[in-house]
Amino acid sequence: EDQVTQSPEALRLQEGESSSLNCSYTVSGLRGLFWYRQDPGKGPEFLFTLYSAGEEKEKERLKATLTKKESFLHITAPKPEDSATYLCAVRSGGTYKYIFGTGTRLKVLA
Amino acid sequence: DGGITQSPKYLFRKEGQNVTLSCEQNLNHDAMYWYRQDPGQGLRLIYYSQIVNDFQKGDIAEGYSVSREKKESFPLTVTSAQKNPTAFYLCASSPDSTDGNTIYFGEGSWLTVV
C-alpha cells in the first residue's frame, strides 16, 4: 500500500538554527514527490517537485533532496517567517491519486 | 493571474441542507481534485476528475457529489447525507501530462454546520 510518513510531527527552532524535515515513502513506481508549505487557514503553497533519486532543488533557505526511500527538506538559517506546516506528497505510477503525509509543524522563534 | 479560485471562503450549513462549493481554475489543467482536511489528519481525497464529463470517487466520497461540465470548473456539493461535514475543503488541479504532474491548490473553503 502506498504510504507517506513525515517526521517529526512538530519542530521548534531558534532563528538561524538549521535543521531537516523527513518524508519517508512507500510507493509503486514513483511519479513525483512534492513539498508544500501551508499557513494556518490557507491552501498548501507549492515548493518543490522531485522525480528521481539523487535529485536536489533549492529555493532561498530551503533545499529538498530525494533518495529511493525518503526525502529531506533542509532549512538553512531559518527565520520566524518560515514558521508553517510543511507537507509532503507522492504520486505513484498507474494512479491519479496523490498520497499526503500529515505534515511537520515548524515554529521558528526569534 | 493564473490560479485556482475557491468560493465561498466561509460557509455555514444548517442540518438537512445541501451546499455547493465552487472551484474554478484558469491553468488549463486536465485533472481536478477535491480534498478534505481535518486537524491532525492528512489530506483525504473526496473526488477527482481526469477529463470533462468524467469523475471518480476518492477515499471518502460518501455524502458528496461533483460534476465536471467544463474543463475549468469542478464544483463540490456536500449533501445532507454527509454526517460530519465541518472541515476545511481544498480544490486542486494538475496538468497530468508529460510536462509534469505537480498538483496545485486553491485557498480553501471552511464549512461549518450550525
Side-chain angles (χ1 to χ4, degrees):
Chain A
E1 181 182 350
D2 298 335
Q3 192 170 3
V4 174
T5 302
Q6 291 188 246
S7 61
E9 289 187 13
L11 181 62
R12 292 168 67 94
L13 299 173
Q14 290 296 130
E15 184 173 4
E17 180 187 2
S18 300
S19 187
S20 298
L21 313 182
N22 178 263
C23 173
S24 298
Y25 65 91
T26 304
V27 70
S28 305
L30 182 69
R31 284 191 62 193
L33 184 140
F34 312 90
W35 281 100
Y36 297 86
R37 169 194 171 123
Q38 187 175 24
D39 293 300
K42 296 195 173 183
E45 174 189 349
F46 169 70
L47 294 174
F48 304 108
T49 299
L50 303 167
Y51 286 108
S52 56
E55 191 174 357
E56 300 182 353
K57 289 192 176 174
E58 288 187 67
K59 178 182 178 181
E60 296 180 354
R61 295 177 293 282
L62 301 176
K63 178 179 177 180
T65 62
L66 181 65
T67 72
K68 290 187 178 179
K69 294 183 177 181
E70 58 191 350
S71 176
F72 290 94
L73 184 65
H74 306 278
I75 304 176
T76 302
K79 299 181 178 182
E81 52 262 42
D82 294 322
S83 297
T85 295
Y86 291 85
L87 299 174
C88 170
V90 298
R91 180 167 170 179
S92 63
T95 175
Y96 284 87
K97 291 186 179 182
Y98 294 78
I99 312 300
F100 285 83
T102 54
T104 293
R105 297 188 310 278
L106 175 65
K107 177 74 172 176
V108 182
L109 304 172
Chain B
D1 284 346
I4 301 170
T5 301
Q6 291 186 236
S7 63
K9 178 68 177 179
Y10 301 96
L11 186 60
F12 298 91
R13 192 193 91 169
K14 294 181 180 179
E15 295 285 347
Q17 270 188 340
N18 293 352
V19 293
T20 297
L21 307 180
S22 170
C23 179
E24 302 279 332
Q25 55 100 358
N26 60 5
L27 300 169
N28 199 33
H29 287 170
D30 288 315
M32 296 188 74
Y33 309 79
W34 275 105
Y35 288 89
R36 170 176 172 148
Q37 188 173 37
D38 295 283
Q41 297 194 38
L43 276 68
R44 293 185 291 169
L45 181 64
I46 304 172
Y47 269 98
Y48 65 100
S49 169
Q50 298 163 228
I51 56 172
V52 174
N53 293 321
D54 184 58
F55 48 83
Q56 306 296 327
K57 292 183 178 180
D59 301 316
I60 56 165
E62 185 175 352
Y64 300 98
S65 65
V66 294
S67 63
R68 186 86 187 275
E69 298 176 0
K70 299 186 296 182
K71 185 176 183 177
E72 57 271 21
S73 179
F74 192 41
L76 173 73
T77 296
V78 184
T79 75
S80 57
Q82 172 48 239
K83 299 307 178 187
N84 184 25
T86 296
F88 189 50
Y89 291 87
L90 288 162
C91 179
S93 70
S94 70
D96 194 43
S97 69
T98 55
D99 294 329
N101 54 13
T102 299
I103 186 170
Y104 297 91
F105 289 87
E107 283 297 295
S109 293
W110 289 95
L111 174 63
T112 302
V113 175
V114 296

